[in-house]
Amino acid sequence: FFSLDVMRLRSTVLKMIGSCLLAVVVVLAIVDWKLRASGLGWNYINWSIIARYTSEFDWHPDVSFTNRCGDAVLDFPKQPLHVDPYDGSHVLLLSYPRSGNHLLRTVVECLVQTPTYGYAQETHSLLLPRTMTHEEAVHSATPQRPYLRKLHHIFFEPEGWNDYEYGVILLLRDPIEAVLSESKNTPYFFRHISRELGFIVTNSLYYLSKPKHKRLVLYMEDFETKRMETLLQLQSMFGNTVVTDQQVRMCHDDYDRLLDLGRGNLQRKAAASQDAHHYRHATFGETPLDPVAVPAPVAALWDRYTGYTHCSSPHD
């Protein structure tokens, strides 16, 4: 009888261990599926940050931005003085992650009838297929067929930086909403919010350093709510000889397809959103966001978004 009891106990223990292992495998499989569905991998997980924010599965975003005034604002790289003067042949599409860059690129390609270029590892095309490499395109660019280069951080100097002066189209979205939308189906603290805000400030300062005829600022939400106005702003940037009135009308008539195409190329879009831009709207619960101090010119660019104030203004 003693031997039989031991065998039964052993069988029970083995079944319990087997059940626990099966449960672990199932949980890991679910987490892996969630990561893959969001375009992420296990190496994206910062376990120390998860430990800070996990409390009975109640996760909260870190909105404790550092002060972005004075010495905290990093300088941006300057182009050499000997570069060829700007003639519209080289234009930066300057944005930041989750700000709507694919939408901008798709609309620009329709208007200019020239493919845009992203980073070297981005092999997919948007509206128009690319037939040249980055280096070939940058040196063969003309005002009629400009080199249009996506860039998230101005510190990553694009091709031809030492040879050609670049114009800039700056795309803005509420930076807090843009950063938090990175989460999709995963916790929204994978991206370092304070670090990203620093890049956004630097991009904005670079934009403001350009003469007005060499720059254009657009807002992501206007691509849906102010369609024709956005198209006309881009036409003004490139000129009527490059973007004709007829081309503006054609792109306006085809605008819904352009938006769908721009959204479809987002690699990690939020599938649960029905909004036009397919991004999840950022929420902060019942606690209001403290004002974030940024340089005064940058605050003027962001004045449509709540939660920002310029460095010289008094605030709590």
Side-chain angles (χ1 to χ4, degrees):
F1 288 105
F2 177 77
S3 177
L4 183 61
D5 288 341
V6 171
M7 292 177 62
R8 288 176 177 174
L9 179 61
R10 180 186 302 172
S11 177
T12 302
V13 171
L14 290 176
K15 288 180 180 179
M16 293 176 59
I17 293 176
S19 298
C20 292
L21 290 176
L22 180 60
V24 171
V25 170
V26 171
V27 170
L28 291 177
I30 293 175
V31 173
D32 184 69
W33 173 74
K34 286 288 188 179
L35 289 173
R36 291 178 183 274
S38 302
L40 302 174
W42 287 93
N43 58 310
Y44 282 83
I45 299 179
N46 188 325
W47 298 105
S48 62
I49 297 181
I50 290 179
R52 289 173 52 197
Y53 288 98
T54 303
S55 174
E56 297 181 358
F57 301 99
D58 184 17
W59 290 320
H60 299 284
D62 178 6
V63 292
S64 58
F65 297 99
T66 57
N67 193 317
R68 293 295 169 184
C69 300
D71 295 337
V73 178
L74 300 176
D75 196 8
F76 49 83
K78 310 296 193 302
Q79 289 193 262
L81 297 177
H82 64 269
V83 298
D84 291 348
Y86 177 70
D87 60 358
S89 60
H90 296 80
V91 178
L92 289 180
L93 307 179
L94 190 59
S95 59
Y96 38 90
R98 314 311 302 169
S99 62
N101 184 272
H102 280 84
L103 297 180
L104 170 63
R105 291 173 62 187
T106 302
V107 173
V108 167
E109 288 187 9
C110 179
L111 289 172
V112 186
Q113 286 297 290
T114 301
T116 58
Y117 286 79
Y119 294 106
Q121 65 269 26
E122 296 176 336
T123 58
H124 62 278
S125 298
L126 299 180
L127 183 65
L128 303 174
R130 292 191 292 268
T131 58
M132 292 184 285
T133 65
H134 288 66
E135 292 296 335
E136 291 172 337
V138 73
H139 293 301
S140 63
T142 65
Q144 292 294 328
R145 292 187 59 84
Y147 180 63
L148 306 167
R149 178 63 154 87
K150 160 193 171 181
L151 203 66
H152 279 333
H153 306 317
I154 193 60
F155 292 104
F156 303 152
E157 299 173 3
E159 301 79 15
W161 182 258
N162 295 323
D163 301 311
Y164 309 101
E165 183 181 1
Y166 275 87
V168 59
I169 298 176
L170 176 66
L171 179 62
L172 293 181
R173 181 190 183 190
D174 186 341
I176 298 175
E177 182 178 330
V179 171
L180 293 184
S181 77
E182 183 73 21
S183 63
K184 312 308 167 293
N185 298 316
T186 53
Y188 36 58
F189 39 74
F190 288 135
R191 188 172 294 281
H192 194 303
I193 295 178
S194 182
R195 175 177 177 270
E196 290 301 319
L197 184 66
F199 282 127
I200 296 169
V201 169
T202 305
N203 288 351
S204 300
L205 290 173
Y206 172 76
Y207 162 83
L208 291 169
S209 73
K210 287 287 185 180
K212 291 185 177 180
H213 69 284
K214 301 178 183 179
R215 72 188 193 192
L216 172 67
V217 61
L218 296 174
Y219 296 89
M220 189 270 287
E221 57 269 22
D222 291 347
F223 276 84
E224 173 62 25
T225 60
K226 300 179 180 180
R227 298 184 175 192
M228 181 56 78
E229 181 179 332
T230 299
L231 294 175
L232 293 176
Q233 286 180 292
L234 287 165
Q235 182 190 37
S236 177
M237 176 71 182
F238 291 103
N240 293 344
T241 59
V242 178
V243 181
T244 63
D245 293 341
Q246 180 183 5
Q247 191 64 32
V248 171
R249 289 192 295 270
M250 289 178 58
C251 293
H252 186 263
D253 292 341
D254 201 26
Y255 205 89
D256 287 331
R257 186 178 72 90
L258 297 179
L259 288 183
D260 288 340
L261 181 61
R263 293 193 298 262
N265 277 280
L266 291 172
Q267 296 178 354
R268 296 195 293 269
K269 62 179 180 291
S273 174
Q274 297 300 316
D275 294 338
H277 44 71
H278 272 221
Y279 289 131
R280 178 178 301 162
H281 181 68
T283 57
F284 298 92
E286 298 178 355
T287 304
L289 178 67
D290 293 332
V292 178
V294 295
V298 173
L301 282 177
W302 298 352
D303 60 0
R304 67 168 64 187
Y305 304 126
T306 59
Y308 299 93
T309 181
H310 61 81
C311 299
S312 58
S313 66
H315 62 277
D316 296 333

